[in-house]
Amino acid sequence: MENKEYDVVIVGSGIAGSIVAKTLTQAGKQVLLLEAGLEAGMAFDTEGAYKNYQDYMRSYYTALAKVPNAPYPDVKDAQSPNVLDMAQINGTLDKGYFVQKGKLPFASDYARAAGGTTLHWLGTCLRMLPNDFKMRSVYGQAVDWPINYAYLKPYYEMAEREIGVASDVSDQRYPNVGDDFFGKEYVFPMYKIPQSYIDKSFIEGLAGLEISLNGDTYLPWCTSTPQGRNSTPNEKYRHAATVWNTTTQKLELQAFPKKSDVYVPVGAIWDPYAGQRCEGNASCVPICPVQAKYNALKTLKSAKKEHLTLISQVVATKINIDTSTGNITGVAYKKYEHPDSKNYTEGVAKGKIYVLAANAIENAKILLASEACKNSKVVGCNLMDHAVLLTWGLMKDKVYPFRGPGSTTNIPTFRDGKFRKDHAAWISPIDNWGWGWPTGSPDTDLDHAVSTLNLYGKDLRKHIGDQLSRQLLLHFECEQLPEKANRVTIDKNYLDNIGNYRPVITYNVDDYTLKAFKASKSVSDQIFAGMGVQDYTNYPSNEPDYTTFDKQGYVFRGAGHVVGTHCMGTTKENSVVNDKQQAWDHQNLYLVGAGNMATLGTSNPTLTLAALSFAAAENILKALK
């Protein structure tokens, strides 16, 4: 590796890095991919891949708290943040991987392992809405992107093919989008995942219910949620693969060669015949037991092997810069021997083009350690996440949660509207996991029934059967605008096990999002009242992300949607990358992933960052011609 110059060096094997690696290698380019996680996670042979995944499953089964990173190794030399380390900040919160100095803790995590955070994502695959790309010009808030929805639309289609999205276009109804949002006759690769029983009961209860918000009246509706998990293939879907057209210098979706060809769901990496259908396991987060849910290892496995070199247990520490030209000359790294060892070897990976494809926080950390992209003075800034307000109650009748994927339906009504001039938009997924997130149900229900209510025998069974079968949980995932003060920095006083920087995070939620808490809670109150839901929502003041607005207390959670820190923009003074996702200051450096997103909108960011990754790969291929 030391003496070889590759066409492209990529840092990170999450969905962004894997898509770029697959696209470039299939176009004939020589690619080196550096992954900080353990070597075992990179096993693609049948025995090795199965064994490693079963190790993940065993960790999940034995974990007391089934949090997103529970199944995956806690590697000191490439540490991941953990939501269990979150607490209220009193000065500085120095616990776990993050160092937190803001008013509120940044309460999301991510996985530093082969496959990245797609190992524990929910699988939701929503496109951003057209107005999400032009928040400044339409609503006078934040910034406009240098690209728009029409530009990204063909790359969304490539991403939906790569992930294998299951959904029905006819179900998808969003506010303020035209008839051509998906395009005439467009279909997803697979039919939608069947919606759960609780969803159907909720949809019936919501029908015709009028909601008042800011003096306007809404009739909220539900839609099935597009998901990156395997379902029944749609025979009308005609795209076989994404390919590089050397004549047009564009990526294109290639049609199936024969009419009889159909989309084949991508199964588990250890067995293509396992995981071809979602089996309704209720553990999508943190882990799908059968790999019916997409993860980036599936993309990486389909890269052209003879053109791809994978090196794991390698932590990129900085990029080397030729100060006379601004070009990158190498990626400096530390390769550790064992997960918790302080022993490592150092090296430099060399290529013609370099791609940072790690999590947005990790990308920012590498740029800051390298003093790269300095002209904009916004590296690490504009850190965003969806601030999730939860409300929960008991339905009148039994609706039987805890069955099926985490969420199969959402309320999209408030994803866009004129109210965005004043407060944030939100999306409301209907949760299939009862009160698990806010209260720790069902364990805490049993504990309460036995320890507090002194129930046992038939009375206990009746109480638990009645309570658990009626639990309803709504999310209000509120958008957050880019704020320069919400940022990642580095400090030599905070280093990890092998002397690399830990992220120092300053974070808060502004009035734009806080107003959405008040508005969405009002919407929840009206829904609960209209449907006869007995409200059990409460926001204890000792929770980590407890905050107040207009004399009312709220508790919000992080969504795990880490966005911003190296946003794209129109000038090198206001952004880190241009519309090609190329660093303004370094011609042979591309940044990919959710860190490029200029605003957040209300969709989970994975599908958008996947679409952006295809666009970036196309730009890199043009640059390499």
Side-chain angles (χ1 to χ4, degrees):
M1 183 171 72
E2 282 291 321
N3 298 320
K4 182 174 180 177
E5 183 185 71
Y6 295 84
D7 290 318
V8 178
V9 175
I10 300 173
V11 175
S13 69
I15 186 170
S18 294
I19 285 175
V20 174
K22 175 181 176 179
T23 306
L24 299 185
T25 57
Q26 291 189 340
K29 304 306 177 186
Q30 292 291 332
V31 172
L32 170 65
L33 191 150
L34 307 177
E35 168 54 46
L38 295 178
E39 186 174 352
M42 279 289 190
F44 290 110
D45 63 289
T46 300
E47 183 177 355
Y50 181 77
K51 180 183 180 305
N52 183 64
Y53 208 72
Q54 295 315 303
D55 286 343
Y56 289 167
M57 290 300 300
R58 275 188 286 275
S59 297
Y60 165 66
Y61 290 139
T62 56
L64 293 177
K66 314 293 188 188
V67 295
N69 273 331
Y72 311 106
D74 180 18
V75 179
K76 286 186 179 179
D77 292 353
Q79 196 173 359
S80 298
N82 193 320
V83 294
L84 296 177
D85 293 324
M86 305 306 165
Q88 290 188 334
I89 297 177
N90 183 17
T92 297
L93 177 61
D94 183 7
K95 181 184 180 186
Y97 181 51
F98 289 161
V99 180
Q100 307 227 34
K101 293 187 172 181
K103 289 186 177 179
L104 294 169
F106 186 76
S108 281
D109 62 12
Y110 51 88
R112 296 176 76 192
T117 306
T118 57
L119 292 175
H120 65 57
W121 73 314
L122 182 56
T124 299
C125 285
L126 292 158
R127 298 185 186 187
M128 293 182 75
L129 304 182
N131 284 344
D132 295 337
F133 296 87
K134 43 188 179 183
M135 287 291 291
R136 170 55 63 179
S137 56
V138 176
Y139 298 118
Q141 297 287 350
V143 295
D144 287 353
W145 291 46
I147 60 174
N148 58 25
Y149 176 78
Y151 168 88
L152 205 56
K153 189 175 175 181
Y155 303 107
Y156 270 130
E157 294 178 0
M158 296 175 196
E160 285 160 353
R161 198 233 171 268
E162 185 63 39
I163 292 173
V165 175
S167 187
D168 292 351
V169 170
S170 59
D171 271 12
Q172 302 306 304
R173 177 187 165 203
Y174 308 133
N176 299 332
V177 301
D179 295 336
D180 61 344
F181 183 73
F182 286 103
K184 190 177 180 181
E185 298 182 352
Y186 182 75
V187 298
F188 291 98
M190 291 173 279
Y191 290 107
K192 70 176 181 181
I193 300 285
Q195 290 165 277
S196 68
Y197 185 80
I198 188 174
D199 292 354
K200 294 175 182 175
S201 299
F202 185 87
I203 291 168
E204 290 174 5
L206 189 67
L209 193 63
E210 291 188 352
I211 298 295
S212 176
L213 179 66
N214 306 326
D216 293 317
T217 300
Y218 293 81
L219 282 172
W221 68 91
C222 295
T223 183
S224 60
T225 302
Q227 298 175 60
R229 50 175 56 85
N230 289 332
S231 177
T232 304
N234 188 329
E235 64 280 358
K236 294 180 181 177
Y237 187 77
R238 303 310 306 157
H239 300 305
T242 300
V243 298
W244 171 242
N245 186 322
T246 56
T247 302
T248 63
Q249 295 286 290
K250 298 279 290 181
L251 290 175
E252 298 173 351
L253 279 168
Q254 187 177 57
F256 287 119
K258 296 184 295 185
K259 282 188 176 179
S260 58
D261 290 338
V262 295
Y263 176 85
V264 177
V266 181
I269 59 171
W270 63 83
D271 179 4
Y273 301 107
Q276 284 211 345
R277 298 290 188 276
C278 173
E279 298 177 2
N281 290 291
S283 62
C284 313
V285 179
I287 189 167
C288 173
V290 296
Q291 283 200 353
K293 186 183 67 175
Y294 170 86
N295 67 60
L297 295 173
K298 297 185 180 186
T299 291
L300 200 56
K301 187 178 181 182
S302 59
K304 201 166 188 177
K305 295 178 179 54
E306 57 268 37
H307 290 179
L308 179 62
T309 302
L310 297 172
I311 307 293
S312 55
Q313 300 188 184
V314 169
V315 184
T317 56
K318 61 181 290 188
I319 50 177
N320 298 330
I321 303 169
D322 182 336
T323 54
S324 63
T325 65
N327 282 340
I328 307 304
T329 60
V331 175
Y333 62 82
K334 294 177 180 176
K335 182 172 177 56
Y336 56 88
E337 296 178 4
H338 307 290
D340 301 334
S341 170
K342 289 185 177 296
N343 298 323
Y344 58 83
T345 57
E346 295 183 279
V348 177
K350 292 184 176 296
K352 297 171 185 171
I353 286 179
Y354 299 86
V355 179
L356 295 188
N359 180 274
I361 289 175
E362 297 302 313
N363 275 354
K365 202 181 69 174
I366 295 169
L367 293 173
L368 291 166
S370 314
E371 298 188 356
C373 303
K374 291 193 297 185
N375 278 329
S376 69
K377 297 183 175 60
V378 291
V379 171
C381 299
N382 304 312
L383 176 65
M384 292 171 270
D385 190 8
H386 285 123
V388 184
L389 191 78
L390 301 177
T391 62
W392 57 100
L394 289 181
M395 298 278 278
K396 287 189 295 185
D397 300 315
K398 294 182 177 181
V399 291
Y400 304 105
F402 299 101
R403 302 188 304 177
S407 180
T408 46
T409 296
N410 69 84
I411 305 172
T413 313
F414 303 100
R415 291 188 62 189
D416 192 34
K418 63 181 182 182
F419 56 80
R420 291 176 92 179
K421 292 180 179 178
D422 184 52
H423 64 71
W426 66 80
I427 189 171
S428 302
I430 300 161
D431 202 285
N432 287 336
W433 290 332
W435 299 351
W437 196 358
T439 72
S441 182
D443 300 11
T444 51
D445 297 297
L446 180 61
D447 180 68
H448 176 73
V450 173
S451 303
T452 304
L453 303 180
N454 295 318
L455 297 176
Y456 62 92
K458 289 183 179 178
D459 291 340
L460 176 62
R461 291 196 295 273
K462 181 180 179 182
H463 173 81
I464 292 297
D466 176 69
Q467 293 282 306
L468 294 185
S469 62
R470 295 194 292 135
Q471 289 186 352
L472 170 70
L473 175 65
L474 296 183
H475 299 193
F476 295 87
E477 299 187 2
C478 303
E479 70 179 328
Q480 188 171 23
L481 298 179
E483 291 284 341
K484 193 172 182 179
N486 285 339
R487 64 185 305 176
V488 179
T489 58
I490 54 175
D491 184 330
K492 63 182 180 182
N493 292 311
Y494 298 108
L495 304 177
D496 69 11
N497 197 47
I498 54 175
N500 290 326
Y501 287 106
R502 294 164 55 198
V504 179
I505 295 180
T506 305
Y507 183 73
N508 197 10
V509 175
D510 69 6
D511 282 357
Y512 188 75
T513 301
L514 291 172
K515 288 179 182 176
F517 290 173
K518 180 179 179 180
S520 59
K521 182 62 168 62
S522 167
V523 169
S524 177
D525 290 345
Q526 293 174 69
I527 291 175
F528 280 16
M531 294 175 60
V533 176
Q534 188 177 356
D535 195 350
Y536 278 76
T537 306
N538 70 92
Y539 301 126
S541 60
N542 61 349
E543 289 282 337
D545 270 324
Y546 175 84
T547 187
T548 59
F549 178 75
D550 202 13
K551 301 179 181 178
Q552 178 64 50
Y554 301 95
V555 172
F556 71 96
R557 275 82 172 174
H561 303 161
V562 185
V563 168
T565 73
H566 48 80
C567 299
M568 69 166 63
T570 53
T571 72
K572 61 182 179 182
E573 286 77 28
N574 68 16
S575 55
V576 179
V577 299
N578 59 25
D579 59 356
K580 296 181 176 61
Q581 302 176 72
Q582 177 188 37
W584 288 105
D585 294 356
H586 314 286
Q587 283 197 331
N588 65 340
L589 175 63
Y590 289 77
L591 308 178
V592 297
N596 286 349
M597 294 171 63
T599 58
L600 179 55
T602 54
S603 54
N604 303 44
T606 303
L607 184 72
T608 297
L609 80 85
L612 287 168
S613 299
F614 276 110
E618 184 178 88
N619 292 325
I620 292 168
L621 286 168
K622 288 178 182 176
L624 284 169
K625 69 178 181 180

